[in-house]
Amino acid sequence: MELERQVEKRIAQLQQALDFEVRLKRITDQIRNSLDEGQILQVVVQELTLVLGTICCHTASYNLESATSTVLYQYTTSEYETIASSLSSVGQVVFMNAFPEVYRQLLQGEHFQFCEIDVSAVRKPLAILACPIIDNQAILGDLWLFKQRTDAFSELEIGVVQQVANQCAFAIRQARFYQASQQRIEELERLNHLKDDFVSTVSHELRAPITNIRMAVEMLEAILKQSQILEAKHSSATRYLRILRDECQREMNLINDLLDLTRLDTKTEPLVLTSKNLSSWILQIIEPFEERFCTQQQQLHIDIPIEIPVLTTDFFQLEGILVELFNNAYKYTPANETIAVLLRATPSALRLSVSNSGVEISTYELAHIFDKFHRIPSHNPWKHRGTGLGLALLRKRVEQLQSTIIVSSEQKWITFTLQIPWSIEQD
């Protein structure tokens, strides 16, 4: 008989361990999948109460600077609400120095249990288990469990609580990291909006005086011509006027690019969709560049099939993309190298590539090529000056046309490949 009792007891213990293991996995899955610290703690106190059959369970958060512990969440089954009301309540703040022996152990990462006896005999003795919520960085809080029994918490029950506390610490740290990251992202977005507003405002304010300066330069040039001061081809006045015109135009281009970037970022201008035959239209865009390519002894190779399906898109934005690609090739292609334009139709999109030879770009530079004001050192053989915003604008226009663009560098060829859908979905 004794042997049978021992066998039955061992079977019951194994069954309880198996049941705890299944429930522990369920708790772990719930808290690991959450990035909400409050939800994590609520799940923990509720599940531990139900799994271990306790009167209640509550969890507290530590503030080590003020040496306080604040009860955040508590779960009690309905049958024990009267008893639980005499225990700690949510929002209660406990000063650690009032219970030095208790918090000395918890702060050292040690769990403990004891039996509290109500001298008034209003309720039965309570078995109490305290377990710290701690990870390898710091202690975050604790768990307190209460059960109305004279026997202590078993080793198996303590093991379950410790495992839950460890998983809880990991989940809380993960949730706090996520929340801190979200706050950082929101702050960066706010600062980025402020920066864009500032750039837009400054650009608008600068446009008027630059326009006036340009008009004044033109008037000055007309007056000097009337006075025959500019008759000498290489006079100082001629040289200074040319510098004024060039720098004024450069500043105007920068202001216009900044304003265009702002408009594209805010998406305030709707797309104007039309349908055109691509073959003839692209050739018209390339034509003004042919003479410029020839001047710099750059070879132009065009591969555009005559039969291309009709494309429906915003051709004003598409023209801006192509002009920037051709300008980029013009500025960065050395003499006696080739600029190639290739157009192909696929079932889902039109694929256009613009390539230029004689140049190679590192992987790092490729990753930043569309950044604002980013310039690639030692890759401007003709020393052409620009605003540093051309490719950033290009990417914004590509996104507005619901298209994609990738850039690659291999065997001294730089290739920009643009994928344009045959039609665009309007919002």
Side-chain angles (χ1 to χ4, degrees):
M1 294 294 292
E2 179 63 26
L3 180 60
E4 289 180 1
R5 283 196 297 270
Q6 290 180 2
V7 171
E8 289 176 357
K9 181 179 179 181
R10 182 57 179 164
I11 291 173
Q13 289 175 341
L14 291 173
Q15 184 60 45
Q16 185 185 39
L18 181 61
D19 186 46
F20 280 168
E21 187 69 27
V22 172
R23 296 187 179 189
L24 179 62
K25 185 179 184 305
R26 185 184 67 191
I27 298 173
T28 300
D29 290 343
Q30 288 186 71
I31 63 178
R32 276 187 173 179
N33 293 332
S34 177
L35 292 171
D36 184 330
E37 183 175 342
Q39 183 184 40
I40 292 168
L41 294 173
Q42 289 182 68
V43 167
V44 166
V45 296
Q46 177 176 330
E47 291 294 336
L48 282 177
T49 301
L50 297 176
V51 169
L52 300 180
T54 61
I55 293 174
C56 79
C57 173
H58 74 236
T59 182
S61 176
Y62 286 1
N63 185 328
L64 298 181
E65 292 184 1
S66 60
T68 57
S69 171
T70 304
V71 179
L72 297 181
Y73 299 97
Q74 178 174 294
Y75 185 81
T76 307
T77 53
S78 57
E79 59 184 303
Y80 293 120
E81 286 181 353
T82 303
I83 299 174
S85 63
S86 63
L87 305 175
S88 300
S89 58
V90 174
Q92 180 178 349
V93 178
V94 178
F95 290 91
M96 295 180 181
N97 56 12
F99 306 93
E101 187 60 28
V102 169
Y103 286 101
R104 180 188 65 79
Q105 296 180 73
L106 289 171
L107 290 172
Q108 290 178 353
E110 300 173 0
H111 71 276
F112 61 89
Q113 64 171 318
F114 59 94
C115 183
E116 180 188 67
I117 300 176
D118 186 1
V119 295
S120 63
V122 175
R123 52 178 168 79
K124 295 180 181 179
L126 292 179
I128 303 172
L129 172 64
C131 183
I133 300 174
I134 189 170
D135 63 7
N136 58 358
Q137 297 183 46
I139 184 166
L140 306 174
D142 58 34
L143 290 168
W144 289 75
L145 293 96
F146 305 82
K147 67 177 181 178
Q148 194 177 25
R149 294 178 186 171
T150 55
D151 58 322
F153 284 86
S154 68
E155 290 185 8
L156 184 59
E157 290 174 323
I158 294 173
V160 169
V161 175
Q162 285 182 302
Q163 290 186 66
V164 170
N166 291 338
Q167 293 296 328
C168 183
F170 174 80
I172 289 174
R173 188 69 68 183
Q174 183 175 262
R176 289 182 180 180
F177 177 77
Y178 173 77
Q179 292 299 324
S181 299
Q182 289 298 109
Q183 291 175 2
R184 181 61 177 162
I185 290 171
E186 290 173 3
E187 177 64 14
L188 290 174
E189 288 177 346
R190 185 185 71 83
L191 293 174
N192 192 50
H193 285 311
L194 288 175
K195 181 262 299 178
D196 288 342
D197 290 343
F198 171 77
V199 170
S200 179
T201 301
V202 170
S203 300
H204 277 290
E205 293 299 321
L206 287 176
R207 192 169 192 173
I210 290 294
T211 302
N212 292 336
I213 291 172
R214 185 170 62 180
M215 291 178 61
V217 170
E218 291 174 356
M219 293 298 296
L220 179 60
E221 184 176 11
I223 293 171
L224 293 176
K225 282 182 179 179
Q226 288 180 357
S227 304
Q228 299 182 346
I229 296 176
L230 297 182
E231 285 186 355
K233 187 176 182 181
H234 301 291
S235 68
S236 297
T238 302
R239 186 170 66 256
Y240 295 151
L241 276 173
R242 185 177 67 252
I243 293 173
L244 278 172
R245 283 197 304 270
D246 292 346
E247 293 302 314
C248 188
Q249 186 59 49
R250 183 165 172 263
E251 294 304 311
M252 183 60 74
N253 290 340
L254 174 60
I255 291 168
N256 289 335
D257 284 351
L258 286 169
L259 291 173
D260 287 343
L261 267 177
T262 302
R263 284 193 292 267
L264 290 169
D265 278 335
T266 56
K267 298 180 180 178
T268 54
E269 295 183 1
L271 294 174
V272 179
L273 302 181
T274 54
S275 300
K276 290 184 181 181
N277 179 282
L278 263 293
S279 300
S280 56
W281 181 80
I282 290 181
L283 291 174
Q284 292 174 5
I285 303 299
I286 296 175
E287 186 178 356
F289 288 90
E290 291 181 350
E291 184 177 347
R292 296 167 63 184
F293 295 155
C294 183
T295 301
Q296 294 188 164
Q297 300 177 6
Q298 297 162 338
Q299 309 300 316
L300 177 62
H301 175 73
I302 301 175
D303 185 354
I304 299 177
I306 298 176
E307 297 298 329
I308 290 287
V310 171
L311 177 70
T312 300
T313 190
D314 187 323
F315 281 85
F316 176 78
Q317 297 296 345
L318 182 57
E319 180 177 349
I321 294 170
L322 297 184
V323 167
E324 180 56 35
L325 287 176
F326 298 147
N327 263 327
N328 196 67
Y330 167 71
K331 289 191 293 184
Y332 297 108
T333 303
N336 301 314
E337 296 292 342
T338 302
I339 296 170
V341 181
L342 176 67
L343 188 67
R344 290 291 182 267
T346 70
S348 60
L350 177 74
R351 187 172 71 244
L352 171 71
S353 65
V354 178
S355 308
N356 60 295
S357 65
V359 181
E360 204 159 351
I361 301 177
S362 69
T363 303
Y364 172 81
E365 296 294 346
L366 284 177
H368 295 276
I369 200 167
F370 294 109
D371 292 353
K372 298 174 185 176
F373 301 109
H374 182 74
R375 295 180 181 276
I376 301 174
S378 306
H379 282 292
N380 188 354
W382 304 103
K383 305 301 180 184
H384 291 297
R385 303 174 71 182
T387 64
L389 293 172
L391 290 178
L393 264 172
L394 180 147
R395 182 174 60 177
K396 290 293 182 183
R397 290 193 170 105
V398 168
E399 292 171 356
Q400 191 174 37
L401 294 184
Q402 301 172 17
S403 304
T404 60
I405 189 166
I406 58 174
V407 57
S408 61
S409 175
E410 55 184 19
Q411 299 179 348
K412 291 196 173 181
W413 277 86
I414 307 298
T415 301
F416 289 85
T417 303
L418 177 66
Q419 292 267 117
I420 314 166
W422 290 114
S423 60
I424 292 179
E425 296 179 6
Q426 287 274 42
D427 294 335

